[in-house]
Amino acid sequence: MRLNTPPPQRSIASNKEVFDFLESAAKKYGIEFWKPGSGIIHQIVLENYAAPGMLMLGTDSHTPNAGGLGMLAIGVGGADAVDAMTGTPWELKAPKVIGIHLKGQLSGWATPKDLILHIAGKLTVRGGTGAILEYHGPGVHSQSCTGLATIANMGAELGATTSTFPYTEAMRNYLIATGRAPVARAADEAKKKGFLERDEGAEWDDLVEIDLSTLEPTINGPFTPDLATPLSKFGSFIKEQGWKDELTAGLIGSCTNSSYEDMSRVTSLAKQAKAAGLQAKVPFLCTPGSEQIRATIERDGFTEVLQDVGAVVLANACGPCIGQWKREEYKGEEN
């Protein structure tokens, strides 16, 4: 079993020419270059670059992850990115705005991830197409910054252009914790002037009302991310569909599930499992979202706890989420 696996040397060797080219081009034109093993770019952006009120374009569908810090982060194609990099005005058909009003507080095992899974079930995979999801209401302010990033990240599964939130105390604390106190102070000043929150009397093309206190852990799928089933009903749902009641692997990671908050939750479960004398019976793979997260979970003893129940902590990368997983045991079987 390998823990804290460094970036796969075979991959680095086989792609050396590409990495060397990117690094040299970055140096020439003053672009910051993050080497292999640094982590998933969306997590790196949240930890280092994202700031309230900023507009950012990125060439990936999960670019909106940075919206967790109260900005507009939009995924675009390569041609649009080239336009922006050359100073050409970026054009976009004016999106609709769907307001999502949150009230109450999450309770029990429910997390921000369950909120966006619930919304996916309500709006479907097409419900956010051509729209920005603007979250507001008192329920927003009880969410962590990385929790908001997860919500914004998964807005992509609804087809949303992006998702955004008002500036919150949790965002301020996250900026300070990640060494960006000056950005937090600037955001504080902007908020005092009436920015970084919805306009008074704002109107939306559609409005969704959600009471967080009614939500419970939710499982989405299989086959489509908008098939949302509350955990309490999942067992009976599986039986009704005639599907196998079988768990064949456990994965924690990707740009959606790899923050320190996510890792702390799974570590808590691992501690409880160990106390009950349990071990993972199927592959259990964990991928930290960045080197900062990997180092922090190692410092805080999370890595050892995960190892004790049979987990393998992989390199800081997207990992199994994008198919970096040679899985042969179920080849040819229905997924």
Side-chain angles (χ1 to χ4, degrees):
M1 180 177 295
R2 295 177 301 159
L3 287 173
N4 303 331
T5 311
Q9 298 306 313
R10 185 177 65 178
S11 175
I12 290 178
S14 62
N15 293 285
K16 186 177 186 304
E17 183 180 358
V18 174
F19 294 140
D20 288 348
F21 168 73
L22 290 173
E23 185 171 14
S24 62
K27 286 180 179 178
K28 180 177 181 179
Y29 293 104
I31 300 171
E32 294 193 20
F33 176 74
W34 291 80
K35 295 182 178 181
S38 300
I40 304 168
I41 192 60
H42 308 302
Q43 184 64 34
I44 288 173
V45 166
L46 191 71
E47 293 172 354
N48 297 275
Y49 302 110
M54 190 167 82
L55 172 65
M56 182 184 81
L57 302 184
T59 53
D60 186 90
S61 62
H62 291 114
T63 295
N65 186 77
L69 264 170
M71 60 179 286
L72 291 181
I74 300 173
V76 299
D80 284 335
V82 169
D83 283 348
M85 291 174 72
T86 57
T88 304
W90 174 61
E91 297 181 354
L92 173 72
K93 180 181 178 181
K96 295 180 179 180
V97 181
I98 298 175
I100 300 182
H101 182 259
L102 305 181
K103 64 179 182 179
Q105 288 193 338
L106 294 170
S107 60
W109 285 88
T111 70
K113 197 172 289 94
D114 297 303
L115 167 60
I116 187 60
L117 292 174
H118 173 75
I119 293 172
K122 288 177 69 73
L123 297 183
T124 78
V125 291
R126 296 184 179 86
T129 303
I132 292 176
L133 306 183
E134 183 179 6
Y135 291 80
H136 61 285
V140 172
H141 294 270
S142 61
Q143 309 306 312
S144 66
C145 179
T146 50
L148 295 178
T150 291
I151 294 170
N153 180 300
M154 293 181 65
E157 317 311 328
L158 283 65
T161 300
T162 193
S163 302
T164 193
F165 309 87
Y167 179 58
T168 68
E169 185 68 18
M171 293 180 190
R172 183 178 189 277
N173 293 339
Y174 185 80
L175 285 167
I176 294 172
T178 50
R180 292 174 287 170
V183 177
R185 289 195 292 269
D188 290 341
E189 290 301 315
K191 186 175 181 179
K192 289 178 183 177
K193 296 177 182 178
F195 298 108
L196 304 181
E197 59 185 1
R198 70 183 179 93
D199 296 333
E200 192 67 36
E203 296 182 358
W204 296 274
D205 294 284
D206 197 5
L207 180 63
V208 179
E209 297 272 1
I210 296 178
D211 183 352
L212 298 176
S213 63
T214 65
L215 299 184
E216 64 174 285
T218 301
I219 297 176
N220 283 35
F223 310 124
T224 177
D226 57 8
L227 182 57
T229 308
L231 183 59
S232 62
K233 299 178 181 177
F234 193 71
S236 59
F237 177 64
I238 291 293
K239 290 181 181 178
E240 291 168 5
Q241 302 299 320
W243 293 331
K244 286 183 180 179
D245 185 6
E246 179 186 15
L247 180 68
T248 59
L251 310 172
I252 176 74
S254 81
C255 58
T256 314
N257 307 282
S258 60
S259 67
Y260 182 85
E261 180 180 7
D262 289 310
M263 293 298 174
S264 67
R265 288 180 182 276
V266 74
T267 300
S268 176
L269 286 172
K271 286 180 179 177
Q272 295 173 55
K274 183 182 178 182
L278 300 176
Q279 283 278 310
K281 294 183 178 180
V282 297
F284 179 22
L285 309 179
C286 299
T287 51
S290 68
E291 174 57 22
Q292 178 168 292
I293 292 170
R294 185 210 62 76
T296 307
I297 66 172
E298 184 175 37
R299 180 200 69 187
D300 294 348
F302 292 3
T303 302
E304 184 178 358
V305 172
L306 293 170
Q307 177 185 17
D308 285 346
V309 295
V312 177
V313 180
L314 302 173
N316 314 320
C318 297
C321 184
I322 60 167
Q324 294 175 323
W325 182 19
K326 190 175 182 181
R327 194 180 191 196
E328 302 285 355
E329 66 269 34
Y330 292 98
K331 196 171 183 178
E333 291 190 21
E334 181 183 7
N335 185 2

